[in-house]
Amino acid sequence: MLKACSISRNINRQAVQILRQRDISVDVWSGEKSPSKEELQELLRIYDILIIGVKEKITKDMISNIKSRKIIGTLSIGLNHIEKECFESDYVDIVNCPTANVTSVAEHIFALILDLSKRIQEANDLVIEGKGDKRFLRSKPSDICGKTIGLIGAGNISSKVVDIANIFQMPILCYTAHPGNHEDLIKKGVKFVSLDEVLQCSDIVNVSVPLTEQTKNLISREKVDLLKENAIFINTSRGEVTDVQALVELADRNPNFYLGLDIDIEQNEELLSRKRSNIITTPHIAGCTDEAIQRIYIECAENIVKVLERRKEEKDIEGR
């Protein structure tokens, strides 16, 4: 029997059942705090399968002495908390959850877009301040129907955003490093263009890309300068994908530019601490709905089982 350990105590019954049906026992981390690097390394030694979250960092030295097959399942889309050398190991398979929270994130993106375009937060604050009259708004609310939306990234989240954008009859531009891999989006009305064209021509821009060496600071200060003065800019990816300082400065000097961020705020806590009527910040909660979390556990368990099935097939082929 294989042994698995989940760092999350909240792993749901369906995920546990999926693993147990594959003859995998499931333990749950019992420590009061998240495991240290040394404790994670010991768990990797003891268990065949380790289920982690984004707070658990896996480094190449932690797996350097592993000489038996292991699986690391991360309860996330992103993989930047696992050093790239770990993916090259002959003994360790790594799985993530690329689809479980797609709908949740896409909904959050449009929640930010609609809140900003309809001036909901600004109007609510005015009411609280005793200025409950539309004449106090810095600018009138605007419709998103018919507005051009530019997508940076063409993955699962962007595909779901496209579905929603089509309901609002929005022309859709998209930049991706590999447009040839996304012919399905062309059928949905997406036009692939350069990054600069997305930034210059879109009324609303959304960033949905993983944080990698290639995407770090993808939206640099120079790229921020390409945005329309009255654009809405949304980022629910990692904060490091954009120059947050440059985006906030643009919002500060231009009240008609609206910014929606769903990012880990530690690096920009002071910058984002002042209330602004044209900026909404949420602390990377887009993919953390109750429903998404339950789906993440299940997807992780299913992907772990797929690795085991693939290993079995490979072993059968070798034995022929």
Side-chain angles (χ1 to χ4, degrees):
M1 175 179 282
L2 297 175
K3 298 192 300 180
C5 179
S6 171
I7 303 303
S8 171
R9 296 189 182 94
N10 298 317
I11 184 170
N12 65 21
R13 292 181 180 180
Q14 188 172 347
V16 172
Q17 184 178 11
I18 290 169
L19 295 173
R20 286 179 175 168
Q21 287 176 344
R22 191 60 176 73
D23 202 25
I24 302 168
S25 66
V26 182
D27 294 334
V28 175
W29 171 246
S30 58
E32 293 184 5
K33 299 180 180 180
S34 296
S36 65
K37 180 176 180 178
E38 292 73 22
E39 288 169 328
L40 282 172
Q41 196 162 9
E42 179 64 9
L43 291 172
L44 281 168
R45 186 187 68 81
I46 296 172
Y47 288 93
D48 305 289
I49 301 163
L50 185 61
I51 300 172
I52 63 171
V54 294
K55 292 183 178 180
E56 284 72 53
K57 311 298 182 186
I58 305 296
T59 58
K60 59 184 179 182
D61 56 300
M62 293 170 64
I63 67 168
S64 59
N65 294 322
I66 290 178
K67 300 301 179 186
S68 59
R69 301 301 293 271
K70 306 285 183 179
I71 300 174
I72 298 174
T74 177
L75 301 165
S76 64
I77 296 177
L79 294 162
N80 56 297
H81 54 297
I82 303 173
E83 286 191 352
K84 60 181 181 180
E85 291 83 0
C86 298
F87 295 86
E88 300 167 1
S89 170
D90 293 330
Y91 296 99
V92 179
D93 288 286
I94 298 170
V95 300
N96 64 337
C97 306
T99 65
N101 65 4
V102 165
T103 296
S104 305
V105 175
E107 287 184 2
H108 196 91
I109 289 165
F110 270 90
L112 291 172
I113 292 171
L114 288 166
D115 193 314
L116 291 166
S117 63
K118 300 302 181 183
R119 316 297 190 247
I120 291 172
Q121 176 182 249
E122 181 184 356
N124 180 71
D125 290 343
L126 288 172
V127 170
I128 293 171
E129 294 166 6
K131 300 177 181 178
D133 190 303
K134 58 180 174 289
R135 63 189 174 90
F136 289 108
L137 288 171
R138 294 201 295 180
S139 59
K140 291 181 180 180
S142 62
D143 293 339
I144 68 170
C145 184
K147 294 287 182 15
T148 296
I149 185 168
L151 307 180
I152 299 172
N156 293 319
I157 293 172
S158 289
S159 182
K160 181 60 70 172
V161 169
V162 167
D163 292 339
I164 302 173
N166 278 328
I167 295 172
F168 287 98
Q169 300 174 343
M170 305 175 78
I172 306 167
L173 304 177
C174 182
Y175 165 75
T176 178
H178 305 287
N181 296 340
H182 302 282
E183 291 186 5
D184 57 314
L185 294 185
I186 295 176
K187 296 176 182 178
K188 293 182 178 182
V190 174
K191 180 182 179 182
F192 287 105
V193 297
S194 69
L195 177 58
D196 285 2
E197 189 171 346
V198 167
L199 297 172
Q200 291 171 325
C201 300
S202 301
D203 303 300
I204 300 165
V205 176
N206 176 69
V207 182
S208 293
V209 296
L211 177 60
T212 66
E213 290 298 322
Q214 290 71 38
T215 62
K216 189 173 183 179
N217 201 37
L218 178 66
I219 310 302
S220 62
R221 180 172 293 272
E222 291 73 24
K223 297 299 184 185
V224 169
D225 289 340
L226 298 176
L227 291 163
K228 289 184 176 183
E229 289 188 354
N230 61 345
I232 294 175
F233 187 94
I234 307 294
N235 180 24
T236 59
S237 304
R238 302 291 178 185
E240 296 91 331
V241 170
T242 65
D243 188 326
V244 178
Q245 177 82 37
L247 288 165
V248 171
E249 288 176 5
L250 177 57
D252 282 344
R253 66 176 181 266
N254 182 3
N256 294 317
F257 175 75
Y258 285 81
L259 178 61
L261 300 174
D262 181 63
I263 60 174
D264 294 317
I265 65 169
E266 285 82 359
Q267 295 179 350
N268 299 285
E269 191 167 358
E270 183 177 353
L271 175 67
L272 298 170
S273 62
R274 179 165 68 86
K275 185 172 73 172
R276 299 167 171 92
S277 61
N278 58 341
I279 298 179
I280 298 176
T281 307
T282 52
H284 213 51
I285 62 171
C288 297
T289 66
D290 287 338
E291 296 84 354
I293 290 170
Q294 300 311 309
R295 292 193 296 265
I296 283 171
Y297 288 126
I298 293 167
E299 184 174 8
C300 187
E302 290 174 341
N303 287 341
I304 287 168
V305 169
K306 288 178 182 177
V307 170
L308 295 173
E309 291 173 347
R310 190 195 74 227
R311 286 181 182 175
K312 184 178 182 301
E313 291 175 1
E314 291 172 353
K315 189 174 181 179
D316 290 344
I317 292 172
E318 289 175 0
R320 290 175 186 171

